Amino acid sequence: MDEQPEVRASDGDRESAARRLRLAVEDGSLDFTEFDDRLGLAFQAVTRRELDHLTADLPPAAPAATGAVAPSPAAVPRWLRLGWAVWGAAAAIGVVSWVVASVQAACPLEFWPKDMLGPGLVLLIVTVVAARRREAPGR
């Protein structure tokens, strides 16, 4: 009898199983001890069959809500988190500089740190797109 070789699990497969286990804890199908045990096994799994075994006794997952959900920090690439840190530091320095200059001026100055909103908006769009691509099933 010629058996098909087992298919090796990818990191995405492991993340998908972990997401499924988290949903099972949220809906009360698993307690925290079972979740912890299965999560450890999920990240040690070598084949997809091992992952399937960890979720086989769980009820089907409810369809995803249609409302917008903020991306988890883990879904945002490191280079984007660094971009946000740099942007935040530059925006904070700009606001502080404006406050100091406005206090020293006879009248309030135009709020020139508003120019940081454009790059911030671009960074936000890139972050949302990158997070959705990372969290998309099958990737």
Side-chain angles (χ1 to χ4, degrees):
M1 234 182 180
D2 191 22
E3 285 188 31
Q4 290 284 347
E6 289 198 38
V7 177
R8 293 187 65 87
S10 68
D11 288 340
D13 295 331
R14 290 181 196 90
E15 286 294 332
S16 180
R19 191 176 310 119
R20 180 69 187 94
L21 293 170
R22 281 190 290 275
L23 290 173
V25 168
E26 290 173 7
D27 72 13
S29 298
L30 287 178
D31 64 27
F32 290 114
T33 304
E34 291 173 305
F35 169 72
D36 189 45
D37 292 342
R38 290 185 190 201
L39 188 63
L41 292 171
F43 284 109
Q44 293 173 1
V46 175
T47 65
R48 288 182 179 175
R49 184 179 298 174
E50 291 174 272
L51 294 173
D52 291 342
H53 178 72
L54 295 173
T55 59
D57 63 338
L58 300 175
T66 57
V69 177
S72 69
V76 177
R78 183 176 297 150
W79 64 271
L80 270 174
R81 289 190 299 239
L82 178 62
W84 276 110
V86 170
W87 179 85
I93 290 169
V95 169
V96 168
S97 299
W98 174 79
V99 168
V100 169
S102 290
V103 167
Q104 293 176 350
C107 60
L109 302 175
E110 177 188 355
F111 186 70
W112 47 264
K114 72 180 180 307
D115 296 336
M116 291 296 294
L117 294 177
L121 181 60
V122 170
L123 195 55
L124 177 64
I125 292 168
V126 170
T127 302
V128 169
V129 169
R132 286 189 180 172
R133 283 187 178 169
R134 260 191 168 187
E135 290 184 341
R139 288 206 180 227

